[in-house]
Amino acid sequence: MSKKILLMGPPGAGKGTQAEMIVIKYGIKYISTGSIFRQEIMSNTSIGIISNQYISNGNLVPDKIVNEIVQISLDKCSLNKGFILDGYPRTVNQAKFLEDHLNINHTRLDGIFFIEIPFQVIFDRITKRRSCIKCNCVYHLQTKPPKVENFCDFCKGELVQRDDDKEETVKSRLLSYDNYTKPLKDYYSCKDTFHILDGTKTREEIFAQICDFLGDKLQ
């Protein structure tokens, strides 16, 4: 079941949740550009330092840097065994780079999924998130609050609001998304593997749709 999948949509659309469920079901490589950049930033690498200058201000990291880390990640795994890309591509230029890379390796995408969701729902999801400073576990003040306010259920670390989850930064991130990422829908709309998902549905409903589109109906 070597599926090769793209999972796209605005920040806070639930891409990470769906990606985790897909990885468990299909046993494929999970490549999250967000996770990669967070690790680079925490490790204070040169890529992390440069990327943080963009991310902390709610801006997209330049295509050249993103393409580089994605190519490295893809080269580390066997493409024939499948993968899911979460949060990439975010621009048409990145999409063209990915398509060229896959063509060179004589493979193609099995599913291209775009999660749509209203602005206000996204805004509430992101600005009410809190992350543990020790284990990075993520909570939500309304839908997944910690048992003890401001502290992680698992490691008791302090919960904080990441800089890129703050209101002004979220607004900037969504503006960048509107300007750069939405054109991807036009780019991929002609592909027979492209599907739009309703992000307001439950995680189980969205996941069932994804499996259905991949030709694997859930019982």
Side-chain angles (χ1 to χ4, degrees), residues 87-152:
Y88 178 93
R90 290 191 177 183
T91 69
V92 171
N93 284 337
Q94 290 176 15
K96 291 178 178 178
F97 177 88
L98 175 64
E99 191 165 16
D100 288 343
H101 185 72
L102 294 179
N103 286 337
I104 291 172
N105 287 277
H106 308 289
T107 190
R108 67 187 298 272
L109 296 168
D110 298 296
I112 304 168
F113 300 103
F114 192 98
I115 303 177
E116 283 194 330
I117 191 166
F119 172 89
Q120 191 56 49
V121 176
I122 298 172
F123 191 77
D124 288 343
R125 280 186 181 180
I126 299 178
T127 58
K128 292 184 169 110
R129 285 194 305 212
R130 297 295 183 269
S131 302
C132 176
I133 61 174
K134 289 185 178 180
C135 69
N136 293 318
C137 188
V138 179
Y139 296 83
H140 190 277
L141 298 182
Q142 288 184 331
T143 61
K144 187 187 173 184
K147 295 176 182 178
V148 178
E149 187 176 2
N150 298 325
F151 292 97
C152 178

Side-chain angles (χ1 to χ4, degrees), residues 169-186:
T169 304
V170 172
K171 290 178 182 177
S172 180
R173 290 172 67 193
L174 292 175
L175 180 60
S176 292
Y177 164 77
D178 279 336
N179 289 337
Y180 296 103
T181 310
K182 276 190 175 180
L184 281 171
K185 289 173 65 177
D186 294 330

Side-chain angles (χ1 to χ4, degrees), residues 26 92 192:
Y26 293 103
V92 171
D192 59 359

Side-chain angles (χ1 to χ4, degrees), residues 3-95:
K3 302 296 185 181
K4 292 166 281 288
I5 300 168
L6 290 190
L7 190 57
M8 300 180 292
K15 298 186 296 294
T17 298
Q18 292 302 321
E20 290 174 3
M21 296 169 74
I22 291 169
V23 167
I24 291 173
K25 178 170 179 59
Y26 293 103
I28 57 179
K29 175 75 174 179
Y30 178 27
I31 302 173
S32 165
T33 52
S35 296
I36 294 172
F37 279 125
R38 281 192 287 275
Q39 184 58 51
E40 294 288 335
I41 291 170
M42 289 178 62
S43 300
N44 206 37
T45 65
S46 57
I47 288 179
I49 293 171
I50 295 173
S51 302
N52 193 42
Q53 295 173 359
Y54 294 93
I55 295 172
S56 61
N57 289 313
N59 298 319
L60 294 179
V61 178
D63 290 345
K64 182 178 180 180
I65 297 175
V66 183
N67 288 338
E68 180 183 344
I69 67 165
V70 169
Q71 181 173 350
I72 291 172
S73 297
L74 288 174
D75 289 344
K76 286 181 178 178
C77 70
S78 173
L79 295 183
N80 291 329
K81 292 184 178 179
F83 61 84
I84 179 169
L85 279 165
D86 168 14
Y88 178 93
R90 290 191 177 183
T91 69
V92 171
N93 284 337
Q94 290 176 15

